[in-house]
Amino acid sequence: MTSSYQDRIAEGRLAREGLLSAEAQASAAALLERVEASELETVRVVFADQHGLLRGKTVAAGSLASIFRSGLNLPGTLLLKDTSNRTVFPIWDGSSSGVMKTMAGAGDMLLVPDPDTFRILPWAPHSAWLFCDPYSRDGEALPFAPRPVLRSAVAALAEKGLSLTVGLEVEFHVYKRLDDPLAHHQAGLPGQPPATALLDQGYQYLAEANYDRLEPVMDLLRRNAQALGLPVHSTEVEMGPSQFEFTFAPASALEHADNMIMFRTMVKEVCAREGLHATFMCRPKNENSASSGWHLHQSLVNESGRNVFIPEVAGEPTPEASAWIAGLLAHAEESCLLTTPTVNGYKRYQPYQLAPDRIEWGYDNRGAMVRALMAPGDAASRVENRVAEPAANPYFYFASQILSGLSGLDQRLQAPAPVENPYDNDATALPPSLIAAIEAFETGDLYRRTLGEDFVEYMSFLKRAEWKRYLGIVTEWEQTEYFGIF
């Protein structure tokens, strides 16, 4: 049966046009045989969009073979929407050029499946996920498709004989859902968020009693994550009310980017089925709420499998570690659009909150942007970038780290002196707002050189549209400040 599937896949468009490698074709044939012998009913054929959210169609299991032959067509406008789900790029003016021309008139793009991402969903065992990469309808690469962007950064690092290993620490909130905003007037772009209540009062960091109260939810999420094959290392009570943290064992950049997408989506879907609301928004507008961060542990491995961040002498980073840290710092401002892509995320950059507010590094210092954890003989020697919010698109986030660090390596940069007091020095401040991050991204040269003008213009246009909508909203602060006095 497998050979029959292989023949049918080899005759399809994806194989003929080189969009599905011979190795992927063989994996797909084996997968189709497995699906045929299973009780699976549906497959959710999805891709991670520009915001790191899954979108796609669900096909009957018996139709899966057609996806590996011909791909799946979806409206290209799915890559042109801001976080309100508005299409913000012009698609009807007839004057778009370059890659945007393929999306004019809400035309299709092509999804190419990756058989290695297939996962049966433990909370919906009759269904499965299959991740795809989007291409233009003509089968051409899209310069702003998130998964291929990361793959290109990984390939650039591999040309130096190096690979990036990452470990994840992800903070998020889980609340009890009090109502569903399903009245007609509550719909919109975006719709109104649900009303919620706490599962735990918080501010008892790592308290055993708090963990015991939250254990049913912790266990529910951990078991589903493990059933997806995610390498969960720990589940923890974070600082704030109803705030959780999951950490994951190290893996490759592309593997953990996929894992992060799976984890965030699983958490939201499983919680929704249980009458809960999970959010990876950085700082929810709830009284006494705490900000959530996303800490990314990073180490470089050479072709012989050696971690090149392990120092020979304590307190003296290796040349590779020093250059990598220097690259992260040198490009931190222009990278913030990729590490902290929302208006809300910049409200976390506050002093004395175990979050960074300026561009610096230090040894085992949780106030610094980059925290170095390196010691002679320690195979886990690494740096931890604490800059990102958990809503970041992991493909763009990881690509920013690789390209920044690689720039440091190429220029043989050296890290400045580490800081001891991260909140009292003259280090350059992180961008204070999304618009400041957009401007730094536009004026920087790293992403124009490495990912191209199309990528920079796309991201800038997309996020400026979001910022303009934000500026058009009259806030509660403005009403309180001005409505009475003037």
Side-chain angles (χ1 to χ4, degrees):
M1 183 63 70
T2 300
S3 60
S4 173
Y5 279 131
Q6 285 179 324
D7 292 342
R8 291 160 61 189
I9 292 170
E11 294 168 355
R13 174 191 175 182
L14 300 187
R16 291 197 316 270
E17 297 184 6
L19 297 174
L20 201 65
S21 69
E23 183 181 3
Q25 292 175 46
S27 296
L31 173 59
L32 290 170
E33 186 175 63
R34 172 186 164 196
V35 169
E36 185 179 54
S38 73
E39 296 182 359
L40 203 67
E41 298 175 19
T42 58
V43 178
R44 305 178 189 184
V45 183
V46 296
F47 76 101
D49 75 359
Q50 56 277 21
H51 309 295
L53 304 175
L54 289 184
R55 298 180 186 267
K57 293 183 179 180
T58 299
V59 301
S63 300
L64 185 59
S66 69
I67 305 300
F68 287 107
R69 291 197 304 272
S70 305
L72 179 68
N73 289 325
L74 290 181
T77 52
L78 292 174
L79 283 171
L80 306 181
K81 297 182 183 295
D82 69 3
T83 48
S84 73
N85 284 296
R86 288 175 169 86
T87 299
V88 298
F89 290 83
I91 61 170
W92 304 113
D93 62 0
S95 62
S96 298
S97 61
V99 69
M100 286 297 175
K101 189 174 183 61
T102 68
M103 298 182 180
D108 280 343
M109 62 181 177
L110 177 68
L111 296 191
V112 176
D114 180 348
D116 291 339
T117 64
F118 182 85
R119 297 288 192 284
I120 293 176
L121 306 183
W123 63 96
H126 69 285
S127 192
W129 274 335
L130 180 64
F131 281 21
C132 300
D133 292 341
Y135 288 77
S136 77
R137 62 189 171 208
D138 300 324
E140 298 297 322
L142 291 171
F144 39 74
R147 210 162 176 262
V149 161
L150 175 57
R151 194 179 289 112
S152 71
V154 169
L157 187 60
E159 290 180 3
K160 301 290 186 182
L162 297 167
S163 62
L164 181 68
T165 298
V166 296
L168 311 184
E169 292 184 17
V170 186
E171 298 169 1
F172 58 101
H173 291 85
V174 180
Y175 301 109
K176 184 186 301 181
R177 186 187 292 261
L178 297 181
D179 71 354
D180 289 310
L182 296 177
H184 292 292
H185 72 276
Q186 294 173 310
L189 293 169
Q192 292 183 19
T196 58
L198 299 174
L199 299 181
D200 182 79
Q201 286 192 339
Y203 295 107
Q204 297 184 54
Y205 180 47
L206 298 181
E208 165 62 19
N210 288 46
Y211 180 86
D212 191 67
R213 286 194 292 272
L214 295 173
E215 187 177 50
V217 179
M218 291 276 192
D219 285 348
L220 177 69
L221 299 179
R222 173 186 53 78
R223 288 167 182 156
N224 278 281
Q226 291 173 325
L228 285 172
L230 308 187
V232 177
H233 175 68
S234 68
T235 61
E236 302 170 14
V237 175
E238 249 303 323
M239 182 73 71
S242 262
Q243 192 175 35
F244 291 48
E245 180 178 78
F246 272 54
T247 72
F248 297 85
S252 72
L254 186 59
E255 182 180 359
H256 255 338
D258 287 345
N259 288 344
M260 182 63 174
I261 295 289
M262 291 184 191
F263 178 70
R264 283 197 312 215
T265 308
M266 176 277 293
V267 168
K268 292 189 71 70
E269 292 184 3
V270 168
C271 284
R273 287 179 176 231
E274 298 295 321
L276 304 170
H277 178 69
T279 182
F280 291 81
M281 175 183 180
C282 179
R283 190 175 182 85
K285 187 181 176 297
N286 294 324
E287 193 172 356
N288 296 315
S289 186
S291 297
S292 290
W294 177 10
H295 308 150
L296 187 66
H297 295 255
Q298 311 174 31
S299 60
L300 282 183
V301 177
N302 63 17
E303 291 175 310
S304 65
R306 183 175 65 87
N307 178 355
V308 298
F309 282 3
I310 302 174
E312 293 185 6
V313 179
E316 294 185 14
T318 65
E320 296 90 347
S322 181
W324 192 266
I325 292 170
L328 295 181
L329 300 181
H331 300 290
E333 286 184 273
E334 62 186 300
S335 297
C336 265
L337 190 63
L338 307 181
T339 66
T340 313
T342 73
V343 169
N344 181 256
Y346 293 85
K347 296 183 168 123
R348 171 175 165 262
Y349 293 164
Q350 301 294 328
Y352 309 107
Q353 299 295 315
L354 296 179
D357 71 340
R358 60 200 75 191
I359 300 169
E360 60 198 359
W361 77 284
Y363 281 107
D364 198 6
N365 193 317
R366 285 183 167 84
M369 189 190 90
V370 174
R371 174 184 175 221
L373 299 164
M374 302 178 295
D378 182 4
S381 291
R382 62 200 186 276
V383 299
E384 173 194 20
N385 196 338
R386 301 171 63 83
V387 74
E389 65 171 322
N393 185 321
Y395 303 104
F396 291 157
Y397 178 18
F398 294 1
S400 77
Q401 303 302 280
I402 292 173
L403 296 174
S404 295
L406 190 54
S407 176
L409 291 172
D410 286 342
Q411 298 178 67
R412 298 184 179 180
L413 300 181
Q414 290 188 342
V419 300
E420 295 183 3
N421 188 340
Y423 301 120
D424 185 17
N425 58 58
D426 59 359
T428 301
L430 285 163
S433 64
L434 179 61
I435 188 59
I438 293 170
E439 291 168 349
F441 180 77
E442 291 171 340
T443 57
D445 70 338
L446 176 65
Y447 298 107
R448 294 185 190 277
R449 287 190 289 105
T450 57
L451 297 179
E453 293 288 340
D454 284 341
F455 177 80
V456 173
E457 291 177 9
Y458 167 82
M459 289 299 299
S460 173
F461 193 99
L462 181 71
K463 301 311 290 188
R464 277 187 176 274
E466 191 174 326
W467 178 255
K468 289 175 183 176
R469 282 196 304 107
Y470 170 70
L471 288 183
I473 300 298
V474 178
T475 65
E476 291 181 12
W477 186 93
E478 293 168 271
Q479 186 76 358
T480 301
E481 189 79 4
Y482 306 128
F483 189 66
I485 192 172
F486 289 116

